[in-house]
Amino acid sequence: GEPDGLAAPCPDEVFAMGTLGRDHFLSCGYPKDRVHLTGSPRYDHVKAPVSASLAPNEKGLRLLIVASLDTTVEIDMVEAAWAAADGLPGVSLTVRDHPFSRVEKHPRFTRFAPRVAVSSKTLEEDISSADVLLFTYSTVAEEAFLKGKPVWQWLPLSYNASALVEACAVPQFSRADGLRQALKDFQENPKAFQPDLSLRKDACEKLFFRGDGLAAARIAQTLSQ
């Protein structure tokens, strides 16, 4: 094609999920009066963080592996968790699939199937029953983090698309031996891995804004004005 002198289409108004999204739009040159910090109705179930404490788990360490849509990326994370947990007593591995993708259908998963369970629980049940969540990029990890759950990122070989790691620092791993040591350390002292309340509140503001369930009302009010 040839240049036609027309600018790329862009929205007249933007409703940002959190301060992180708002700042991205402003950095792209959008006028301040057209970028509205409202939160997103899709995540109105996400509540602002409150104090939380890790309940001791006498049955061992439950690692929830949260898969995204791209199984070619996520199968590497599954393999890393499988290798890291090999021979460690008391460590159980469970994969939670993306709603539109199933990592256990990947040909490489057959090798890990005897050790890695596939969850059929609800999101709330999975987060509640997990001791640690491992993810590459997922809003499940963000929601769990706000609830006070330790979340660790497995660094993908491709682009790091996680908004959570832009919002705050979480443990990151690119080698199975590093992940294995973290699992051992967690078993020794779980409380050392619990995210601080102030850090979780800051992450909520950046990712979901107020966490008060009123995003739709704010959007409607802005539209009516």
Side-chain angles (χ1 to χ4, degrees):
E2 296 295 331
D4 56 14
L6 301 177
C10 65
D12 295 312
E13 307 286 334
V14 175
F15 299 105
M17 274 181 61
T19 57
L20 182 66
R22 176 201 61 190
D23 293 347
H24 277 314
F25 277 100
L26 293 178
S27 70
C28 289
Y30 283 78
K32 288 184 177 180
D33 61 347
R34 291 176 178 262
V35 181
H36 312 282
L37 185 55
T38 59
S40 169
R42 178 181 175 185
Y43 295 102
D44 265 351
H45 63 281
V46 175
K47 304 304 179 186
V50 295
S51 296
S53 58
L54 290 176
N57 177 20
E58 298 178 355
K59 295 182 180 180
L61 194 167
R62 297 161 295 191
L63 181 66
L64 180 65
I65 306 165
V66 183
S68 70
L69 189 62
D70 190 350
T71 59
T72 60
V73 171
E74 304 301 40
I75 196 65
D76 290 339
M77 175 174 59
V78 174
E79 182 171 14
W82 172 81
D86 185 41
L88 287 184
V91 178
S92 63
L93 306 178
T94 302
V95 166
R96 178 177 177 83
D97 279 315
H98 186 279
F100 305 124
S101 180
R102 304 193 67 84
V103 70
E104 71 270 20
K105 299 296 184 182
H106 194 284
R108 285 167 55 195
F109 189 87
T110 304
R111 183 184 180 193
F112 318 129
R115 181 70 194 276
V116 182
V118 179
S119 174
S120 59
K121 297 180 180 179
T122 65
L123 174 59
E124 185 67 29
E125 289 171 336
D126 269 341
I127 292 177
S128 177
S129 63
D131 294 305
V132 180
L133 282 82
L134 184 67
F135 74 105
T136 53
Y137 61 99
S138 172
T139 54
V140 172
E142 295 167 12
E143 293 183 44
F145 181 80
L146 298 189
K147 291 178 180 291
K149 292 285 184 175
V151 298
W152 301 347
Q153 187 188 33
W154 178 256
L155 289 169
L157 294 176
S158 56
Y159 171 69
N160 188 345
S162 173
L164 179 59
V165 299
E166 283 195 67
C168 63
V170 301
Q172 296 174 301
F173 302 92
S174 58
R175 292 175 56 93
D177 55 358
L179 180 57
R180 182 181 180 84
Q181 186 59 52
L183 292 172
K184 291 180 178 179
D185 293 341
F186 185 92
Q187 288 180 309
E188 290 291 327
N189 186 13
K191 290 185 178 180
F193 290 86
Q194 184 170 12
D196 180 76
L197 178 59
S198 61
L199 189 67
R200 292 189 285 125
K201 287 183 175 181
D202 185 56
C204 183
E205 183 81 7
K206 290 178 178 178
L207 299 171
F208 300 106
F209 192 34
R210 292 179 180 168
D212 57 6
L214 298 176
R218 283 188 286 270
I219 291 173
Q221 183 180 18
T222 303
L223 288 171
S224 66
Q225 291 172 348

